[in-house]
């Protein structure tokens, strides 16, 4: 079940929000409601659109409750008509027994939160909570590494094997994957938020995204293929939207998550047997090469890997950026024999430059740091020039492969308006989809190509490499219309 955790400052708002969540189950955080009057709890319960968990967290457990512990326990006792009541393990065994003995038809969740770490003795804590005679054990701990998620999954598996209901998850950005995958491992539920800015715990994802994008409630561990993005940072990427929507469209038991990696070697060691394929972004596009069993010729030539597929347990490196860029350009113009300028000398410029040379375009490199531009020009066997020395009348294709114009600096352009005439202008930047440079170029009558086209083509290629299935028609721009 996907549970929407509702944080609202008034009873009226909580009641208003309940049907909006469209979740399988709702948690009402009573500690957020500033003044609970007599009858409020009954009214909330009577208006529930689905099963309800009533919770009233104290400060030490990440809550907002300002009253005394006696008042808090009194509130939880009044909730015993609800489907579930969540009480912290730290409330003490006596209080917990009082609730379990008088629970009626309610189920009692006994919860343990640790906002610092997943402690070494978590199995022992699990056993102690289980011994309280509760219906469901809840364990939520901060992940300090991606490997903490694996420990949490192990705990969920153990509980499931013992037929104990457990809600297990890791908090924080490194714990995000547990919020998507815990249901597949057997967690009783996973929590999500209703609206941005209303998270009730660190690292929580949107309830709507858990259902509609990740399909977290439909994943089956038996045969599940886990894909993901390896990088630091990873939060700005849109890959998880386009890939998960594609998996859903193809009805695959597959999911794509973000792996915020601090130590690539550790990650490969611990996750190699778990993942079915990877996207790789900054700063690991070069570093990943040493951990691969094989590297495809294009990726080897470019010197960067943005995709890893797994063939017979072996890691194979690919570069789909080259394919993505060339497809995006050739949708509008054939490259062979055309005069092409690329701004930039980083990873994207190298990949696209390689593709342009392969397609027999006549390439010129322009870059802010001349030294780097000259080096790339020499590697690709093409000219490096300053912008002013180019005969712009003869240029057919201009490509921005720098980050200039990217959010938040959306009013910047790597080139002035007067240069932009009679050519195809392609910006690799995809946020915003139409950059200042593209806007000026379109106004001057140029044909423009958004970085989104490249992103979609390279993602579709990744899908084909990972699944062996055709991606045609299932990757589109809708993933970019979905707010992240
Ligand atoms: P990178 O390796 O860090 O290279 C950055 C390049 O941008 C360098 O040439 C750098 O010049 C230049 N640059 C940065 N700030 C500049 C400024 N203020 N003025 C002039 N030049 C500047 O990055 P990358 O991986 O190549 O990525 C470059 C762009 O490609 C990014 O916007 C990224 O989003 C985009 N990209 C898009 C896709 C897609 O699918 N659409 C895929 C990959 C990359 P110096 O050498 O002088 O530092």
């Amino acid at each position: 079940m996907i549970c929407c955790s509702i944080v609202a400052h008034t009873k009226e708002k909580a009641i208003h929000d309940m049907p909006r969540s469209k979740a399988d189950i709702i948690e009402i955080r009573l500690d957020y409601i500033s003044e609970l009057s007599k009858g409020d709890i009954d009214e909330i319960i009577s208006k529930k659109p689905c099963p309800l968990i009533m919770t009233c967290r104290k400060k030490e457990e990440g809550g907002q409750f300002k009253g005394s512990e006696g008042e808090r326990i009194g509130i939880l006792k009044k909730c015993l008509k609800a489907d579930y009541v969540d009480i912290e393990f730290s409330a003490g065994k006596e209080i917990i027994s009082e609730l379990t003995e008088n629970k009626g038809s309610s189920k009692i969740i006994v919860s343990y939160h640790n906002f610092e770490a997943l402690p070494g003795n978590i199995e022992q804590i699990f056993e102690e909570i289980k011994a309280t005679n509760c219906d469901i054990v809840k364990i939520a701990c901060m992940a300090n590494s991606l490997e903490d998620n694996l420990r949490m999954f192990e705990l969920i598996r153990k509980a499931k094997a013992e037929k104990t209901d457990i809600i297990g998850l890791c908090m924080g950005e490194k714990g995000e994957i547990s919020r998507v995958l815990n249901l597949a491992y057997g967690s009783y539920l996973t929590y999500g938020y209703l609206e941005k800015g209303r998270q009730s715990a660190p690292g929580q994802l949107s309830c709507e995204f858990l259902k509609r994008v990740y399909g977290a409630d439909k994943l089956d561990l038996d045969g599940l293929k886990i894909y993901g993005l390896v990088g630091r940072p990873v939060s700005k990427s849109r890959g998880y939207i386009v890939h998960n929507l594609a998996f859903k469209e193809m009805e695959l038991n597959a999911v794509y998550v973000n792996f915020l990696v601090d130590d690539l070697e550790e990650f490969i060691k611990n996750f190699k047997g778990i993942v079915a394929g990877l996207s790789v972004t900054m700063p690991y596009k070069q570093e990943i090469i040493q951990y691969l069993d094989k590297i495809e010729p294009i990726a080897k030539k470019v010197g960067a890997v943005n995709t890893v597929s797994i063939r017979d347990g072996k890691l194979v490196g690919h570069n789909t950026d080259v394919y993505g860029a060339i497809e995006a350009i050739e949708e509008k113009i054939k490259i062979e024999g055309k005069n092409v300028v690329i701004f930039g000398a980083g990873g994207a410029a190298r990949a696209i430059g390689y593709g342009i040379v392969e397609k027999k375009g006549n390439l010129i490199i322009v870059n802010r740091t001349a030294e780097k531009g000259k080096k790339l020009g020499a590697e690709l066997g093409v000219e490096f020039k300053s912008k002013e020395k180019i005969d712009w009348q003869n240029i057919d294709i201009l490509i921005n492969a720098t980050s200039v114009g990217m959010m938040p600096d959306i009013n910047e352009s790597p080139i002035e308006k007067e240069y932009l005439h009679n050519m195809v202008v392609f910006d690799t930047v995809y946020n915003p989809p139409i950059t200042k440079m593209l806007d000026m170029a379109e106004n001057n009558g140029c044909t423009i190509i958004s970085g989104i086209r490249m992103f979609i083509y390279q993602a579709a290629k990744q899908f084909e490499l990972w699944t062996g299935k055709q991606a045609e028609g299932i990757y589109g721009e809708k993933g970019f219309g979905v707010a992240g």
Side-chain angles (χ1 to χ4, degrees), residues 79 115 135 144-145 192 371 425:
C79 291
F115 291 88
D135 296 286
N144 291 309
S145 70
E371 206 183 306
V425 180

Side-chain angles (χ1 to χ4, degrees), residues 282 285 321 344-349 367-369 372 401-404 406 412 428-430 451-452 454-455 458:
M282 304 291 287
K285 284 186 177 185
D321 282 339
N367 193 50
R368 176 180 61 179
T369 310
K372 284 205 223 159
T402 75
S403 45
V404 178
M406 193 161 81
E412 287 178 15
T428 62
V429 171
Y430 62 77
I452 286 185
M454 171 178 171
F455 188 87
Q458 69 77 30

Side-chain angles (χ1 to χ4, degrees), residues 111-115 117-118 138-142 152 167-171 179:
S111 54
Y112 169 81
H113 303 92
N114 189 322
F115 291 88
L118 176 62
K138 176 186 170 190
I139 295 188
C141 297
M142 183 61 74
M152 183 58 75
I167 301 169
L169 60 97
C170 286
M171 295 186 281
R179 295 182 179 275

Side-chain angles (χ1 to χ4, degrees), residues 281-282 285-286 306 320-322 324-325 343-352 365-373 376 400-406 409 412-414 426-431 450-459 480:
T281 189
M282 304 291 287
K285 284 186 177 185
Q286 279 92 33
N306 78 329
T320 65
D321 282 339
V322 179
F343 284 160
R350 170 175 279 105
I352 300 169
I365 303 283
V366 175
N367 193 50
R368 176 180 61 179
T369 310
E371 206 183 306
K372 284 205 223 159
L376 179 59
N400 175 35
T402 75
S403 45
V404 178
M406 193 161 81
D409 303 315
E412 287 178 15
S413 166
F426 167 37
D427 204 332
T428 62
V429 171
Y430 62 77
N431 187 14
S450 164
I452 286 185
R453 298 304 301 161
M454 171 178 171
F455 188 87
I456 286 169
Y457 276 120
Q458 69 77 30
F480 286 83

Side-chain angles (χ1 to χ4, degrees), residues 106-156:
S106 296
K107 286 188 171 174
I108 304 297
I109 302 170
V110 173
S111 54
Y112 169 81
H113 303 92
N114 189 322
F115 291 88
E116 301 291 319
L118 176 62
N121 64 340
I122 198 67
E123 278 86 5
Q124 187 195 332
I125 294 169
F126 165 75
E127 291 300 336
E128 284 176 24
I129 298 178
K130 196 176 138 186
T132 63
N133 241 340
C134 62
D135 296 286
I136 301 162
V137 177
K138 176 186 170 190
I139 295 188
C141 297
M142 183 61 74
N144 291 309
S145 70
L146 285 170
E147 287 69 28
D148 282 344
N149 294 282
L150 301 182
R151 287 179 57 212
M152 183 58 75
F153 296 150
E154 226 13 76
L155 186 66
I156 297 172

